[in-house]
Amino acid sequence: MIEYLRFRQPSLSIRISLFVLLIGFVLSHSQFLDRPNPLRPIIIHDIRVEGNQSVDASLIRSTLSFKIGQEYAPTVLEQRARESIKLLNNLKLFSDVAIYRSPVDTAEGEDFIIRVKELPTLAKIELKGNKKIKEDDIREAIDLLDGQVYSPTSIKRNEEKILDLYREKGYLLASIEVEEKEEEATAKKIIEFNIKEGKKVRVKHIRFKGNERLSDKKLKKQMETKEKRWWRSGEYKEDEFRASLDSIQAFYKDQGYLDAAVPSQKISYSEDKKTLNIDIDVSEGSRYYFGHAKFLNNTILDDKALQNQVLLDSGDVFNYTKYNATKQNIQSSYLEEGHLHMRVDDQKNYRDSIVDVTFDVAEGGISHIQKVMIRGNTKTKDKVVRREIHLFPGDVFRLSLLQRSARDIMQLNYFDNVNPNFEPAQTSDPNDVNLVMEVKEKTAGTGTFSAGVAYSARDRLVGTLGLQIPNFLGNGQRADMNVEYGANRQYYSLGFTEPWFMDTPTLLGGSIFYQLFNDPTGDSQKDYYKYGFSGSLGRRLTWPDDYFRVNSRYNLTVNRGYGNSNPDFLILGEGLESSLHFTIVRDDKDLPIFPTQGSRHTAQYSIVGGFLGGDFAYNEYQLKTEWWFPLFKKLVLEVEVEGGLIDGDNIQSFALYQMGGAWGYQGKLRGYSGGYTGRDRIGRSFFSSVAELSYPIVQNTFYLLGFFDAGNVFGRYKLRENIAHDAAISPWEEVDLSTLKRDFGFGFRLVVPMVGILGFDFGWPLDPDEGSGGIDKKVVGGLNINFVIEPPF
């Protein structure tokens, strides 16, 4: 803008001179920030903003490097103006920014005008043509939002993000056309991504070049990317392919080829672009062997102790995985002695094909625990977590105790994750630390609530209501309530358990229940009901080791209704039951649900009647062992063996064994009808064995299973025979493992928050099922489907 001057009419020569001066003055003052008198400071009287529509003027003024009311030298003000333009452009809100001086020059100072041109904003983002990938997944991958400032570079960047998402899913031929429109009312931009997904590209051939020592077959086994076959899709995913190249290189190193590399790869498409071929160049290099290990600066642990941690023997092929595990073992040995800040530096020395290794150990000082802190427990009280921690203030740090603490906290099943961490302690010893246990509460909570309706020919329509709270009020206590109500069946129970009575590892609990079975024929004399209570007392043990615990339970139950009550007979249907049960458990599995390694062993002895009184008199023995073995990747093998035997004179009919199905009876026989095996026999013993493979499709959420079961209930007498107890043979004589029934099948498990673990098992029998009267059918049956619902704790 131009400042105007007033002057009188002079002579021609003077007028010409003044005109030249005026032209120079106008030109100098019409430039960006008119050049003022360099000797006169400029006071900012006002700053006006023009051209802004959606951007607030106050934001623009606050971004400037000069402020209203401030005084600046002209040269300083010109520099501040340039800085302001740069700052405004950095906001990425404007396509053009200019700063002008107003022609008004008052005694209060000068006015300035900030003229901006805003970038258009996005009215909305539209996605079209996406059928294979959900719109929510695409919108999660991009960073465009309605109302955001439009930028061509951001549109292009997000177009690539969408294409990357399709490539990850195997749609390598996906393409996108971007169409830009304007809303007539607001002139805002509408961006439309028109997606042409194409078909997934399959891998036809994977070929290697340069692999003279390791075959194509061995290398292909290391790859996640696979060739298309009739039993697999052969999808190509970029991230899996890159991981496969790393796996090939790692496999070579485990075979002693330490210099192996994968320098180049080539991907070529078929003419119809439905399949692709992958050519991989391999540089194998020489094969190396392990020589010997040498240790430097180790004073706490001698050479012999450290040599025991070396997993490679002299002359072995240099296996890089074992080598890294050796370094980890050395570190773990020092961590077990409290040297938390130790460091191991390794150096390889080559003698032709022999590799000698020197481990230089910086041992550091001994770390003591000063404080133990719990973080992340929003529902569970500190003491519930703290009592599972095996490290205390003042203790020397031990790696094994830290690992055990994390494992025991996870066994509570209140948390999704446990992450031990350390912070420097405020002490004079720089080695001392504070232990921080960071836990993540289960997002859906730990309790389960269930309600539903079930129907069967015997019980008719039955409504169910259940509530299990394993972490009651955050105290680690357990409360249970169950109700079943129907025309022919009713059941009510209420229980409470305190696992740390008086803040000691002592379990104390109790429950009451009432159960009624109405005879479906309407004969009230055949109705059966039972009610009673139980009390539990248990304790964690420290011997033989601290994975053991012992529990005891006393039951007093009244059984009334249709059934034999004559004490001369082996099986009684009604009477007073007074029983005492002892259980010892050793449990060192790594996770409370879906374990990946470890074991659980249970032995139970029950005495019913005898010195306890009551109408029943027998002893029961049960053993169960479970083992979990990690195989490869995330595949886990579970082996389960279980058996039981009842021996006595007067056995309660409800205590007899039955098998079949996946849940609710002894053992597992998923290829056979639930409860049919042993249903019509006096089953006083049983045996069950299970081999089960599990694989997590989504960790802690969805699992696939494959299984093989074998088992049977042993009993020669029919249930409806009134066998005198003194005429019955010993139950040990009835055990015959050659009569085991077998099945195989597959299934799945789904963890549903607030409900439990749901699933289906599909089993096929390999032997005839048991029919009416306890006699096996002559023909092997077909598919048996089992619905499974388990509590998640």
Side-chain angles (χ1 to χ4, degrees), residues 515-534:
Q515 191 169 16
L516 170 66
F517 296 95
N518 291 329
D519 186 80
T521 65
D523 187 350
S524 60
Q525 294 183 353
K526 295 182 179 181
D527 291 348
Y528 178 86
Y529 66 92
K530 58 189 299 186
Y531 57 88
F533 76 90
S534 68

Side-chain angles (χ1 to χ4, degrees), residues 131-164:
K131 297 179 180 178
K132 305 297 183 181
I133 299 180
K134 295 178 180 179
E135 182 171 329
D136 290 344
D137 294 336
I138 296 177
R139 291 190 181 275
E140 187 176 343
I142 62 178
D143 55 12
L144 292 174
L145 300 173
D146 297 348
Q148 183 177 323
V149 173
Y150 166 82
S151 167
T153 56
S154 68
I155 300 300
K156 186 64 178 176
R157 184 179 69 251
N158 282 277
E159 178 186 346
E160 288 300 319
K161 287 185 176 182
I162 298 174
L163 289 174
D164 287 343

